[in-house]
Amino acid sequence: MRGRLIFPFLAELHRLDTRAVAVEDPDGAGPLTSGYDPDFKEPVLVDTNDDGIGERVRKEHPPVRIPCQVEPEAFEALQEYASGNSPRSRLRLVFHFADLERLGLVDSASGDALVRVGDRLGGVFDVTGALVQAVRTPPGLFVTEAKPIGFGLFMPHPRRNLLLVTFDDRETAAPRGVSG
């Protein structure tokens, strides 16, 4: 008895492939030898189209749809900057470890969920697969926290059962007082 999700939906998750990013040479003959920044532990930004704005070097695993419970906090709330509007969004999804285990998204050696910081949400679908809410990228919604919660409901054999995942957007405008 591990409980179940209430009013389930399907989240389309695009997991960051850090190994593929690390071996990618994003600028060819340029100074970079990897698409992964060793100091900041995230994909580097490279201006690939000469518009003066760096695009994130990103490689992803094939998308996977995972049953979830949706807990919205903010969706495209107005946040104005000197250089324009950067809508703020935050969404929390609750995943059941039984579903993650069934989909191969739990590391068997450590027990860690393979939903990690930097993974991207592509959309939310109903249980029949119909689109409920697409997530525009950019700005996108990315995992900023994946926290196991809900340890044990069944006392004779208690187990962890839920993973709370927070998705936040990335700012698309510069804050007031910041100039380029």
Side-chain angles (χ1 to χ4, degrees):
M1 178 81 184
R2 292 175 78 179
R4 63 179 178 83
L5 297 174
I6 302 169
F7 306 116
F9 285 86
L10 298 172
E12 184 176 88
L13 191 65
H14 299 257
R15 293 175 38 240
L16 178 63
D17 187 344
T18 54
R19 288 190 180 129
V21 171
V23 298
E24 171 91 6
D25 185 359
D27 62 349
L32 297 174
T33 58
S34 171
Y36 207 68
D37 187 300
D39 297 322
F40 293 106
K41 308 290 189 233
E42 66 177 27
V44 297
L45 297 174
V46 178
D47 185 5
T48 57
N49 57 7
D50 293 325
D51 65 354
I53 300 170
E55 289 79 32
R56 204 166 290 281
V57 173
R58 217 180 140 77
K59 300 288 183 191
E60 297 175 333
H61 293 282
V64 61
R65 290 192 181 171
I66 310 168
C68 68
Q69 191 172 301
V70 180
E71 299 182 7
E73 288 199 18
F75 197 78
E76 296 191 359
L78 180 65
Q79 183 165 350
E80 293 185 39
Y81 290 105
S83 62
N85 180 32
S86 184
R88 302 293 300 155
S89 296
R90 172 175 270 188
L91 185 68
R92 289 197 169 132
L93 300 180
V94 178
F95 298 107
H96 200 291
F97 267 95
D99 294 320
L100 296 173
E101 291 160 0
R102 179 178 50 79
L103 293 167
L105 295 174
V106 176
D107 183 291
S108 59
S110 67
D112 290 340
L114 297 178
V115 176
R116 304 261 169 87
V117 170
D119 292 347
R120 178 176 65 85
L121 181 64
V124 176
F125 298 80
D126 68 19
V127 292
T128 68
L131 179 66
V132 173
Q133 180 67 56
V135 177
R136 287 181 292 131
T137 302
L141 288 173
F142 297 86
V143 175
T144 55
E145 181 181 26
K147 176 173 66 171
I149 61 172
F151 283 79
L153 292 175
F154 186 56
M155 290 311 292
H157 186 63
R159 298 175 70 184
R160 150 187 81 173
N161 62 345
L162 301 175
L163 181 72
L164 176 63
V165 180
T166 303
F167 292 86
D168 286 296
D169 60 5
R170 297 221 167 122
E171 291 181 358
T172 57
R176 292 182 192 276
V178 174
S179 60

